């Protein structure tokens, strides 16, 4: 019976390997980052690294993978949509859906895309192709990771005795984190709007 990627990572895993796999997963390779972060939590529970180090490692690893993806997509520019290796990520209905998200949420769609595993890579790539500054991308992606990475790694740490059951529950956790992330974003926007309204308007 073939071992799952999670089982292989738990058997042979280490901090550097977790980092490399997360970067590779950020580039679209078939390494689900949520499972890798779960594995980091389990490895931490087994003494491979302290929990804060595991959370920091996953945060940096995912962010590095996202940054490399962003820079590669920015180099392609509009050719991203027609290049033979990337055009399959942008069928017309998906591209239209993502463009609708950008029209509605602007750069904040990067924050939302972090919690949408199916759209994550195309959302980030389109952000680069459409000219979003790198610093703005890192801001929104980093804010989202501040929510997702600690939660998923800690879940792996606490559920290390029942890894398979925890892994099956990642999908539900992802939906929960997505809702929490969107709620946090809405609260932040409401606070910003309230502050802007309280500021005195310049006299004419």
């Amino acid at each position: 019976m073939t071992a799952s990627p999670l089982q292989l990572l738990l058997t042979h895993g280490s901090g550097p390997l977790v980092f490399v796999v997360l970067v590779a997963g950020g580039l679209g390779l078939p390494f689900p980052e949520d499972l890798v972060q779960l594995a980091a939590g389990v490895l931490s529970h087994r003494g491979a690294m302290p929990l804060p180090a595991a959370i920091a490692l996953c945060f940096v690893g995912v962010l590095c993978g996202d940054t490399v993806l962003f820079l590669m997509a920015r180099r392609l520019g509009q050719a991203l949509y027609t290049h033979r290796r990337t055009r399959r990520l942008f069928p017309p209905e998906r591209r239209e859906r993502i463009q609708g998200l950008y029209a509605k949420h602007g750069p904040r769609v990067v924050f939302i895309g972090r919690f949408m595993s199916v759209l994550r890579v195309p959302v980030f790539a389109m952000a680069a192709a459409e000219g979003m500054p790198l610093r703005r991308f890192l801001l929104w992606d980093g804010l989202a990771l501040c929510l997702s990475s600690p939660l998923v790694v800690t879940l792996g740490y606490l559920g290390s005795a029942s890894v398979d059951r925890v892994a099956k529950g990642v999908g539900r956790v992802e939906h929960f984190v997505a809702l929490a992330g969107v709620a946090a974003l809405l609260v932040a926007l409401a606070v910003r709007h309230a502050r802007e309204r309280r500021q005195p308007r310049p006299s004419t």
Side-chain angles (χ1 to χ4, degrees):
M1 187 175 181
T2 305
S4 68
L6 179 60
Q7 291 170 330
L8 290 172
L9 192 57
L10 291 174
T11 302
H12 307 287
S14 62
L17 181 60
V18 167
F19 180 84
V20 170
V21 173
L22 283 173
V23 173
L27 296 177
L29 296 180
F31 303 121
E33 67 182 35
D34 290 328
L35 287 182
V36 178
Q37 293 185 90
L38 270 179
V42 175
L43 290 171
S44 174
H45 190 272
R46 294 178 179 178
M49 55 187 139
L51 181 59
I55 293 173
L57 181 73
C58 289
F59 179 95
V60 175
V62 173
L63 193 62
C64 284
D66 293 346
T67 302
V68 174
L69 170 67
F70 183 91
L71 293 175
M72 291 173 62
R74 187 166 71 176
R75 184 173 183 179
L76 284 173
Q78 294 298 306
L80 179 75
Y81 306 126
T82 56
H83 193 280
R84 61 185 179 86
R85 292 186 178 179
T86 55
R87 63 188 178 191
R88 63 182 178 81
L89 292 172
F90 302 97
E93 64 278 4
R94 177 180 289 176
R95 186 173 174 182
E96 183 178 345
R97 181 181 178 187
I98 296 175
Q99 287 174 334
L101 288 172
Y102 275 108
K104 185 176 182 180
H105 300 287
R108 294 181 293 275
V109 76
V110 172
F111 183 98
I112 299 169
R114 159 57 46 201
F115 305 105
M116 304 169 67
S117 56
V118 176
L119 295 179
R120 187 179 299 152
V121 170
V123 163
F124 291 177
M126 278 187 67
E130 299 299 329
M132 181 182 293
L134 176 60
R135 63 181 180 278
R136 185 169 294 177
F137 171 79
L138 293 176
L139 169 65
W140 290 108
D141 192 28
L143 287 174
L145 279 171
C146 286
L147 287 174
S148 62
S149 280
L151 180 59
V152 178
V153 176
T154 302
L155 179 64
Y157 182 90
L158 296 176
S160 59
S162 52
V163 177
D164 292 334
R165 187 164 68 248
V166 172
K168 290 177 182 177
V170 168
R172 291 189 292 271
V173 171
E174 186 178 60
H175 291 308
F176 172 77
V177 175
L179 291 173
V182 172
L185 177 60
L186 291 175
V187 170
L189 291 175
V191 171
R192 179 180 176 183
H193 180 68
R195 288 177 176 174
E196 290 177 348
R197 291 189 64 181
R198 284 199 299 266
Q199 290 179 350
R201 295 182 180 179
S203 58
T204 56

Short mmCIF file of all heavy atoms in Angstrom, two decimals, residues 81-115:
data_model
loop_
_atom_site.label_atom_id
_atom_site.label_comp_id
_atom_site.label_asym_id
_atom_site.label_seq_id
_atom_site.Cartn_x
_atom_site.Cartn_y
_atom_site.Cartn_z
N TYR A 81 -1.86 34.42 -19.57
CA TYR A 81 -3.15 33.87 -19.96
C TYR A 81 -3.07 33.04 -21.24
O TYR A 81 -4.02 32.32 -21.57
CB TYR A 81 -4.16 35.00 -20.17
CG TYR A 81 -4.28 35.91 -18.98
CD1 TYR A 81 -4.12 37.29 -19.10
CD2 TYR A 81 -4.55 35.40 -17.71
CE1 TYR A 81 -4.23 38.13 -18.01
CE2 TYR A 81 -4.65 36.23 -16.61
CZ TYR A 81 -4.49 37.58 -16.76
OH TYR A 81 -4.59 38.41 -15.67
N THR A 82 -1.96 33.12 -21.96
CA THR A 82 -1.84 32.39 -23.22
C THR A 82 -0.67 31.41 -23.25
O THR A 82 -0.60 30.58 -24.15
CB THR A 82 -1.69 33.39 -24.40
OG1 THR A 82 -0.56 34.25 -24.16
CG2 THR A 82 -2.94 34.24 -24.53
N HIS A 83 0.24 31.52 -22.30
CA HIS A 83 1.40 30.62 -22.27
C HIS A 83 0.92 29.17 -22.11
O HIS A 83 0.01 28.89 -21.34
CB HIS A 83 2.32 31.00 -21.12
CG HIS A 83 3.68 30.36 -21.18
ND1 HIS A 83 3.90 29.07 -20.78
CD2 HIS A 83 4.87 30.84 -21.61
CE1 HIS A 83 5.17 28.77 -20.95
NE2 HIS A 83 5.78 29.83 -21.45
N ARG A 84 1.55 28.26 -22.84
CA ARG A 84 1.07 26.88 -22.86
C ARG A 84 1.15 26.21 -21.50
O ARG A 84 0.41 25.27 -21.22
CB ARG A 84 1.89 26.06 -23.88
CG ARG A 84 3.38 25.98 -23.58
CD ARG A 84 4.12 25.27 -24.71
NE ARG A 84 5.56 25.20 -24.45
CZ ARG A 84 6.12 24.23 -23.73
NH1 ARG A 84 5.38 23.27 -23.20
NH2 ARG A 84 7.43 24.23 -23.52
N ARG A 85 2.02 26.67 -20.61
CA ARG A 85 2.17 26.05 -19.30
C ARG A 85 1.26 26.65 -18.24
O ARG A 85 1.11 26.08 -17.15
CB ARG A 85 3.63 26.14 -18.84
CG ARG A 85 4.58 25.29 -19.66
CD ARG A 85 5.97 25.31 -19.07
NE ARG A 85 6.89 24.48 -19.83
CZ ARG A 85 8.18 24.33 -19.52
NH1 ARG A 85 8.70 24.99 -18.49
NH2 ARG A 85 8.96 23.55 -20.26
N THR A 86 0.69 27.81 -18.50
CA THR A 86 -0.13 28.47 -17.47
C THR A 86 -1.56 28.74 -17.91
O THR A 86 -2.42 28.97 -17.05
CB THR A 86 0.52 29.81 -17.07
OG1 THR A 86 0.71 30.63 -18.24
CG2 THR A 86 1.86 29.59 -16.40
N ARG A 87 -1.86 28.69 -19.18
CA ARG A 87 -3.19 29.06 -19.63
C ARG A 87 -4.28 28.12 -19.11
O ARG A 87 -5.44 28.53 -18.96
CB ARG A 87 -3.23 29.11 -21.16
CG ARG A 87 -2.97 27.78 -21.84
CD ARG A 87 -2.84 27.96 -23.33
NE ARG A 87 -2.54 26.71 -24.00
CZ ARG A 87 -2.17 26.59 -25.27
NH1 ARG A 87 -2.07 27.70 -26.01
NH2 ARG A 87 -1.91 25.42 -25.81
N ARG A 88 -3.90 26.88 -18.78
CA ARG A 88 -4.91 25.94 -18.26
C ARG A 88 -5.45 26.39 -16.90
O ARG A 88 -6.52 25.95 -16.48
CB ARG A 88 -4.31 24.54 -18.14
CG ARG A 88 -3.15 24.46 -17.16
CD ARG A 88 -2.56 23.06 -17.11
NE ARG A 88 -1.42 22.99 -16.21
CZ ARG A 88 -1.51 22.88 -14.90
NH1 ARG A 88 -2.72 22.81 -14.33
NH2 ARG A 88 -0.44 22.84 -14.13
N LEU A 89 -4.70 27.25 -16.20
CA LEU A 89 -5.17 27.77 -14.92
C LEU A 89 -6.27 28.81 -15.08
O LEU A 89 -6.92 29.17 -14.11
CB LEU A 89 -4.01 28.41 -14.14
CG LEU A 89 -2.91 27.49 -13.63
CD1 LEU A 89 -1.77 28.32 -13.07
CD2 LEU A 89 -3.45 26.53 -12.58
N PHE A 90 -6.47 29.29 -16.32
CA PHE A 90 -7.38 30.41 -16.53
C PHE A 90 -8.43 30.12 -17.61
O PHE A 90 -8.50 30.83 -18.62
CB PHE A 90 -6.58 31.66 -16.92
CG PHE A 90 -5.56 32.05 -15.90
CD1 PHE A 90 -4.23 31.66 -16.04
CD2 PHE A 90 -5.92 32.78 -14.79
CE1 PHE A 90 -3.28 32.00 -15.10
CE2 PHE A 90 -4.97 33.13 -13.83
CZ PHE A 90 -3.66 32.74 -13.99
N PRO A 91 -9.23 29.07 -17.42
CA PRO A 91 -10.37 28.91 -18.32
C PRO A 91 -11.28 30.13 -18.22
O PRO A 91 -11.27 30.83 -17.18
CB PRO A 91 -11.07 27.64 -17.80
CG PRO A 91 -10.63 27.51 -16.40
CD PRO A 91 -9.25 28.07 -16.34
N PRO A 92 -12.04 30.43 -19.26
CA PRO A 92 -12.81 31.69 -19.28
C PRO A 92 -13.68 31.91 -18.04
O PRO A 92 -13.71 33.01 -17.50
CB PRO A 92 -13.67 31.53 -20.54
CG PRO A 92 -12.87 30.63 -21.42
CD PRO A 92 -12.16 29.67 -20.51
N GLU A 93 -14.35 30.83 -17.56
CA GLU A 93 -15.26 31.04 -16.42
C GLU A 93 -14.48 31.36 -15.14
O GLU A 93 -14.91 32.18 -14.32
CB GLU A 93 -16.14 29.80 -16.20
CG GLU A 93 -15.41 28.53 -15.83
CD GLU A 93 -14.83 27.78 -17.03
OE1 GLU A 93 -14.92 28.31 -18.16
OE2 GLU A 93 -14.28 26.68 -16.84
N ARG A 94 -13.30 30.74 -14.96
CA ARG A 94 -12.50 31.03 -13.77
C ARG A 94 -11.92 32.43 -13.85
O ARG A 94 -11.93 33.16 -12.85
CB ARG A 94 -11.38 30.01 -13.62
CG ARG A 94 -10.45 30.28 -12.44
CD ARG A 94 -9.35 29.24 -12.32
NE ARG A 94 -9.88 27.96 -11.88
CZ ARG A 94 -9.14 26.85 -11.76
NH1 ARG A 94 -7.85 26.88 -12.08
NH2 ARG A 94 -9.67 25.73 -11.34
N ARG A 95 -11.43 32.81 -15.00
CA ARG A 95 -10.86 34.15 -15.15
C ARG A 95 -11.92 35.21 -14.91
O ARG A 95 -11.67 36.22 -14.23
CB ARG A 95 -10.26 34.31 -16.54
CG ARG A 95 -9.52 35.63 -16.75
CD ARG A 95 -8.82 35.65 -18.09
NE ARG A 95 -8.23 36.95 -18.34
CZ ARG A 95 -7.60 37.27 -19.46
NH1 ARG A 95 -7.46 36.35 -20.41
NH2 ARG A 95 -7.10 38.47 -19.63
N GLU A 96 -13.12 34.97 -15.42
CA GLU A 96 -14.22 35.92 -15.22
C GLU A 96 -14.58 36.01 -13.74
O GLU A 96 -14.85 37.10 -13.22
CB GLU A 96 -15.43 35.47 -16.03
CG GLU A 96 -16.61 36.43 -15.94
CD GLU A 96 -17.78 35.97 -16.81
OE1 GLU A 96 -17.57 35.08 -17.66
OE2 GLU A 96 -18.89 36.49 -16.61
N ARG A 97 -14.58 34.88 -13.06
CA ARG A 97 -14.91 34.88 -11.63
C ARG A 97 -13.88 35.68 -10.82
O ARG A 97 -14.23 36.47 -9.95
CB ARG A 97 -14.97 33.44 -11.12
CG ARG A 97 -15.34 33.33 -9.64
CD ARG A 97 -15.36 31.88 -9.21
NE ARG A 97 -15.66 31.76 -7.79
CZ ARG A 97 -15.61 30.62 -7.11
NH1 ARG A 97 -15.32 29.49 -7.74
NH2 ARG A 97 -15.88 30.60 -5.82
N ILE A 98 -12.60 35.46 -11.14
CA ILE A 98 -11.54 36.16 -10.40
C ILE A 98 -11.57 37.66 -10.71
O ILE A 98 -11.39 38.49 -9.82
CB ILE A 98 -10.17 35.56 -10.73
CG1 ILE A 98 -10.10 34.10 -10.25
CG2 ILE A 98 -9.05 36.37 -10.08
CD1 ILE A 98 -8.84 33.38 -10.65
N GLN A 99 -11.82 38.00 -11.97
CA GLN A 99 -11.93 39.42 -12.32
C GLN A 99 -13.08 40.08 -11.58
O GLN A 99 -12.98 41.25 -11.17
CB GLN A 99 -12.11 39.56 -13.84
CG GLN A 99 -10.83 39.28 -14.62
CD GLN A 99 -11.06 39.27 -16.12
OE1 GLN A 99 -12.17 39.01 -16.60
NE2 GLN A 99 -10.01 39.54 -16.89
N GLY A 100 -14.17 39.33 -11.38
CA GLY A 100 -15.29 39.85 -10.60
C GLY A 100 -14.90 40.10 -9.16
O GLY A 100 -15.30 41.10 -8.55
N LEU A 101 -14.08 39.20 -8.60
CA LEU A 101 -13.61 39.39 -7.23
C LEU A 101 -12.72 40.62 -7.12
O LEU A 101 -12.82 41.39 -6.15
CB LEU A 101 -12.83 38.14 -6.77
CG LEU A 101 -13.66 36.89 -6.49
CD1 LEU A 101 -12.75 35.69 -6.24
CD2 LEU A 101 -14.59 37.11 -5.30
N TYR A 102 -11.84 40.81 -8.11
CA TYR A 102 -10.98 41.99 -8.09
C TYR A 102 -11.80 43.27 -8.22
O TYR A 102 -11.51 44.27 -7.56
CB TYR A 102 -9.95 41.92 -9.22
CG TYR A 102 -8.72 41.14 -8.87
CD1 TYR A 102 -8.48 39.89 -9.42
CD2 TYR A 102 -7.78 41.65 -7.98
CE1 TYR A 102 -7.35 39.15 -9.09
CE2 TYR A 102 -6.65 40.93 -7.65
CZ TYR A 102 -6.44 39.68 -8.21
OH TYR A 102 -5.33 38.97 -7.87
N ALA A 103 -12.83 43.24 -9.07
CA ALA A 103 -13.66 44.42 -9.25
C ALA A 103 -14.39 44.77 -7.96
O ALA A 103 -14.60 45.95 -7.65
CB ALA A 103 -14.66 44.18 -10.38
N LYS A 104 -14.75 43.77 -7.19
CA LYS A 104 -15.52 43.99 -5.96
C LYS A 104 -14.63 44.33 -4.77
O LYS A 104 -14.98 45.19 -3.94
CB LYS A 104 -16.36 42.75 -5.66
CG LYS A 104 -17.28 42.90 -4.47
CD LYS A 104 -18.15 41.67 -4.30
CE LYS A 104 -19.12 41.84 -3.13
NZ LYS A 104 -19.98 40.64 -2.95
N HIS A 105 -13.48 43.64 -4.66
CA HIS A 105 -12.66 43.75 -3.44
C HIS A 105 -11.32 44.43 -3.65
O HIS A 105 -10.63 44.71 -2.67
CB HIS A 105 -12.43 42.36 -2.85
CG HIS A 105 -13.68 41.63 -2.48
ND1 HIS A 105 -14.45 41.98 -1.40
CD2 HIS A 105 -14.31 40.58 -3.07
CE1 HIS A 105 -15.49 41.16 -1.32
NE2 HIS A 105 -15.45 40.32 -2.31
N GLY A 106 -10.90 44.66 -4.90
CA GLY A 106 -9.60 45.27 -5.14
C GLY A 106 -8.47 44.37 -4.64
O GLY A 106 -8.58 43.13 -4.68
N PRO A 107 -7.38 44.94 -4.13
CA PRO A 107 -6.24 44.14 -3.68
C PRO A 107 -6.57 43.21 -2.51
O PRO A 107 -5.84 42.26 -2.25
CB PRO A 107 -5.20 45.19 -3.28
CG PRO A 107 -5.98 46.43 -3.00
CD PRO A 107 -7.14 46.39 -3.95
N ARG A 108 -7.68 43.48 -1.82
CA ARG A 108 -8.07 42.62 -0.70
C ARG A 108 -8.44 41.22 -1.15
O ARG A 108 -8.54 40.31 -0.32
CB ARG A 108 -9.23 43.27 0.07
CG ARG A 108 -8.87 44.57 0.75
CD ARG A 108 -10.05 45.16 1.50
NE ARG A 108 -11.10 45.61 0.60
CZ ARG A 108 -11.14 46.79 0.01
NH1 ARG A 108 -10.15 47.66 0.20
NH2 ARG A 108 -12.14 47.12 -0.79
N VAL A 109 -8.60 41.04 -2.46
CA VAL A 109 -8.93 39.70 -2.96
C VAL A 109 -7.78 38.71 -2.69
O VAL A 109 -7.99 37.51 -2.61
CB VAL A 109 -9.26 39.75 -4.48
CG1 VAL A 109 -8.01 39.90 -5.32
CG2 VAL A 109 -10.03 38.50 -4.89
N VAL A 110 -6.56 39.23 -2.54
CA VAL A 110 -5.43 38.37 -2.18
C VAL A 110 -5.67 37.75 -0.80
O VAL A 110 -5.40 36.56 -0.59
CB VAL A 110 -4.10 39.16 -2.21
CG1 VAL A 110 -2.96 38.32 -1.64
CG2 VAL A 110 -3.78 39.58 -3.63
N PHE A 111 -6.16 38.55 0.12
CA PHE A 111 -6.49 38.06 1.46
C PHE A 111 -7.54 36.96 1.36
O PHE A 111 -7.42 35.89 1.97
CB PHE A 111 -7.01 39.22 2.30
CG PHE A 111 -7.33 38.87 3.73
CD1 PHE A 111 -6.42 39.14 4.73
CD2 PHE A 111 -8.55 38.30 4.07
CE1 PHE A 111 -6.72 38.83 6.07
CE2 PHE A 111 -8.84 37.99 5.38
CZ PHE A 111 -7.93 38.25 6.39
N ILE A 112 -8.58 37.19 0.57
CA ILE A 112 -9.65 36.21 0.41
C ILE A 112 -9.14 34.97 -0.30
O ILE A 112 -9.48 33.84 0.06
CB ILE A 112 -10.82 36.85 -0.37
CG1 ILE A 112 -11.38 38.05 0.40
CG2 ILE A 112 -11.91 35.84 -0.65
CD1 ILE A 112 -12.34 38.91 -0.39
N GLY A 113 -8.30 35.16 -1.33
CA GLY A 113 -7.78 34.04 -2.10
C GLY A 113 -6.95 33.07 -1.28
O GLY A 113 -6.90 31.88 -1.58
N ARG A 114 -6.31 33.55 -0.23
CA ARG A 114 -5.52 32.69 0.66
C ARG A 114 -6.36 31.56 1.24
O ARG A 114 -5.87 30.46 1.49
CB ARG A 114 -4.92 33.57 1.76
CG ARG A 114 -4.47 32.94 3.03
CD ARG A 114 -3.46 31.86 2.87
NE ARG A 114 -2.37 32.17 1.97
CZ ARG A 114 -1.62 31.25 1.39
NH1 ARG A 114 -1.84 29.97 1.62
NH2 ARG A 114 -0.64 31.59 0.58
N PHE A 115 -7.67 31.78 1.40
CA PHE A 115 -8.55 30.78 2.01
C PHE A 115 -9.36 30.00 0.98
O PHE A 115 -10.25 29.24 1.35
CB PHE A 115 -9.49 31.46 3.01
CG PHE A 115 -8.76 32.27 4.05
CD1 PHE A 115 -8.75 33.64 4.00
CD2 PHE A 115 -8.07 31.64 5.07
CE1 PHE A 115 -8.07 34.39 4.95
CE2 PHE A 115 -7.38 32.37 6.02
CZ PHE A 115 -7.37 33.75 5.96
#
